[in-house]
C-alpha cells in the first residue's frame, strides 16, 4: 500500500489496517465484531452490577472477579473505536499521540489482567489451604492494595514504551498491521536500531507475565497438594470445583497470548489473515468468555443473574 502524503503529515500520523483484500465486505465483517463488543460490554457490566448490588457477594473472591471484569471492559473499549471506525467509516488515519495512548492502555490492561489472575489464584490458595484465616488474610484493605499495586506495576512498566517509540524517526511506510496500535508493530516501522525496545519489551514480559504465570502454577501445585490431602472424595471435588472458573480464565488469557507470540516469531510463512485473527482472539476472546464462564460455573453469580432477569421480566 503506497501512502501519497507529504513528509509533515507522515510524521504526525499512522495508518491502521483492517482485513486487506476484503475492504468491500468490511460492513459485513463488522457485524460479528459488533456482536462481540456488545456481548463483552453487556456481560462484564452485568457481572459488575450483580456484585455491586448483592451484599452476599461482597467477598474477596467476587471483588477480584469485579477487578477482572473492569479490566476486560477497559481492554474492550480501548480497541473498539479504531476497529469499528475502520469497518464502518474506513477511518484508517490515527495521530501519533492517539496511537501511543491506545498502545499504553492496551498493554497496561493486558498486564493488569495477568496480575488480577495471579491475585485470584492467591485467593483460591488461601480459601483452600487456610480457610479458617481466609477473612483475616484477605481483608478489604489488602484487596484494595493488591488491586492498586497491579495497576501501578503495569502502568509504570508500560509508561516508558511511548517515549522509547517517540525518539524514533519513521522513514518507512506508516501503515500498521492491525486496526489498533501495538508496540511490536510500531517499532518495526522505525528506520533506526530498535534493540533497546526489544530488550525492554522482553524485560517487561518476563517481570509481569512470566513471574505471574510461574506464581499461578506454584499456587495450584500447593492447592493440589492440599486437595489430595483431604479425607473424602466429595471434599476434594468441592474444593477443585471452586477453582474451575479461575483455571478457565487463566487458560483463556495465556493460550491466546502464547499462540500470538508463536505466530509472530515462527509463522512468517502463514497467511496474513492468520496473524490478524490471532491478534483479535488475544484481545477479544478473554473479555468475551470470562463473564460467560463465571456465569455458568459459579453458582452464586448464576443464581443472582437469573434473579435479576426474573425481576426485570
Amino acid at each position: 500500500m503506497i501512502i501519497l502524503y507529504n513528509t509533515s503529515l507522515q510524521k504526525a500520523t499512522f495508518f491502521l489496517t483492517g482485513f486487506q483484500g476484503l475492504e468491500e465486505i468490511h460492513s459485513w465483517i463488522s457485524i460479528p465484531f459488533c456482536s462481540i463488543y456488545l456481548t463483552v460490554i453487556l456481560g462484564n457490566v452485568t457481572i459488575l452490577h450483580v456484585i455491586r448490588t448483592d451484599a452476599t457477594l461482597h467477598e474477596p473472591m467476587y471483588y477480584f472477579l469485579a477487578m477482572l471484569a473492569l479490566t476486560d471492559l477497559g481492554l474492550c473499549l480501548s480497541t473498539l473505536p479504531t476497529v469499528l471506525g475502520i469497518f464502518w467509516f474506513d477511518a484508517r488515519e490515527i495521530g501519533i499521540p492517539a496511537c501511543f495512548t491506545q498502545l499504553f492502555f492496551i498493554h497496561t490492561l493486558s498486564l493488569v489482567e495477568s496480575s488480577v489472575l495471579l491475585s485470584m489464584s492467591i485467593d483460591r490458595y488461601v480459601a483452600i489451604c487456610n480457610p479458617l484465616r481466609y477473612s483475616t488474610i484477605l481483608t478489604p484493605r489488602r484487596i484494595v492494595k493488591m488491586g492498586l499495586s497491579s495497576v501501578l506495576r503495569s502502568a509504570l512498566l508500560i509508561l516508558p514504551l511511548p517515549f522509547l517509540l517517540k525518539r524514533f524517526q519513521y522513514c518507512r511506510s506508516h501503515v500498521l498491521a492491525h486496526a489498533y496500535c501495538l508496540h511490536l508493530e510500531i517499532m518495526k516501522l522505525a528506520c533506526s536500531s530498535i534493540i533497546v525496545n526489544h530488550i525492554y519489551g522482553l524485560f517487561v514480559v518476563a517481570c509481569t507475565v512470566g513471574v505471574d504465570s510461574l506464581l499461578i502454577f506454584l499456587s495450584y501445585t500447593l492447592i493440589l497438594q492440599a486437595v489430595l490431602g483431604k479425607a473424602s472424595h466429595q471434599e476434594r471435588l468441592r474444593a477443585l470445583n471452586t477453582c474451575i472458573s479461575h483455571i478457565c480464565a487463566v487458560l483463556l488469557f495465556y493460550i491466546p497470548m502464547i499462540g500470538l507470540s508463536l505466530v509472530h516469531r515462527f509463522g512468517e510463512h502463514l497467511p496474513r489473515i492468520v496473524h490478524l485473527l490471532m491478534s483479535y482472539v488475544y484481545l477479544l476472546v478473554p473479555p468475551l468468555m470470562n463473564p460467560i464462564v463465571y456465569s455458568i460455573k459459579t453458582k452464586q453469580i448464576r443464581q443472582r443473574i437469573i434473579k435479576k432477569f426474573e425481576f426485570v421480566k
Side-chain angles (χ1 to χ4, degrees), residues 68-311:
L68 184 66
L70 276 173
T71 305
D72 285 339
L73 195 58
L75 195 58
C76 164
L77 294 176
S78 64
T79 61
L80 184 149
T82 53
V83 172
L84 295 186
I86 286 179
F87 290 151
W88 286 349
F89 310 111
D90 197 31
R92 301 178 182 277
E93 188 176 328
I94 182 171
I96 287 181
C99 186
F100 287 175
T101 301
Q102 185 185 51
L103 173 152
F104 173 79
F105 280 106
I106 290 175
H107 289 295
T108 297
L109 291 168
S110 294
L111 298 188
V112 170
E113 180 146 354
S114 177
S115 299
V116 172
L117 290 173
L118 173 60
S119 299
M120 296 174 83
S121 72
I122 294 172
D123 167 79
R124 292 298 84 208
Y125 167 75
V126 175
I128 294 173
C129 300
N130 205 347
L132 297 179
R133 298 186 58 201
Y134 180 69
S135 59
T136 58
I137 293 175
L138 292 175
T139 61
R141 185 174 182 178
R142 188 162 291 166
I143 292 170
V144 171
K145 287 182 178 179
M146 292 171 71
L148 290 176
S149 64
S150 298
V151 174
L152 286 174
R153 182 189 74 160
S154 304
L156 291 175
L157 285 172
I158 296 299
L159 187 60
L161 290 183
F163 296 99
L164 288 173
L165 293 171
K166 190 176 180 180
R167 65 192 177 92
F168 289 138
Q169 292 293 326
Y170 298 98
C171 53
R172 301 172 188 171
S173 168
H174 280 207
V175 180
L176 300 177
H178 300 94
Y180 41 81
C181 299
L182 297 175
H183 172 252
L184 182 62
E185 296 297 331
I186 294 175
M187 73 177 184
K188 287 180 180 179
L189 303 180
C191 52
S192 53
S193 174
I194 57 174
I195 186 65
V196 174
N197 290 63
H198 266 302
I199 294 173
Y200 186 73
L202 290 173
F203 168 76
V204 170
V205 171
C207 289
T208 53
V209 176
V211 172
D212 292 348
S213 59
L214 287 175
L215 292 177
I216 290 171
F217 177 78
L218 176 61
S219 69
Y220 271 102
T221 301
L222 297 174
I223 288 171
L224 189 59
Q225 289 178 351
V227 169
L228 293 176
K230 291 184 180 293
S232 69
H233 180 68
Q234 189 174 4
E235 287 181 348
R236 296 174 190 172
L237 290 178
R238 189 182 301 115
L240 289 175
N241 190 53
T242 64
C243 300
I244 290 177
S245 299
H246 178 252
I247 292 172
C248 291
V250 170
L251 295 176
L252 285 168
F253 178 76
Y254 284 105
I255 289 178
M257 175 181 285
I258 294 170
L260 181 62
S261 178
L262 292 175
V263 166
H264 271 301
R265 283 163 176 77
F266 307 110
E268 293 181 359
H269 61 285
L270 295 174
R272 176 178 171 74
I273 193 169
V274 175
H275 292 256
L276 283 174
L277 290 176
M278 281 302 302
S279 67
Y280 285 120
V281 166
Y282 167 62
L283 288 176
L284 295 179
V285 167
L288 173 68
M289 294 303 300
N290 284 337
I292 297 173
V293 168
Y294 274 94
S295 299
I296 294 173
K297 299 302 297 181
T298 306
K299 182 179 178 181
Q300 293 84 346
I301 294 289
R302 183 175 67 250
Q303 289 177 340
R304 298 324 185 268
I305 291 175
I306 292 173
K307 285 183 179 180
K308 293 288 183 183
F309 277 106
E310 287 178 348
F311 176 77

Side-chain angles (χ1 to χ4, degrees), residues 45-57:
V45 168
T46 301
I47 294 288
L48 289 170
H49 175 71
V50 168
I51 293 173
R52 185 183 68 85
T53 56
D54 196 321
T56 62
L57 299 181

Side-chain angles (χ1 to χ4, degrees), residues 1 17-23 26 92 175-177 272-273 276:
M1 180 179 179
T17 303
F19 287 87
Q20 284 188 340
L22 301 175
E23 288 82 1
H26 267 179
R92 301 178 182 277
V175 180
L176 300 177
R272 176 178 171 74
I273 193 169
L276 283 174

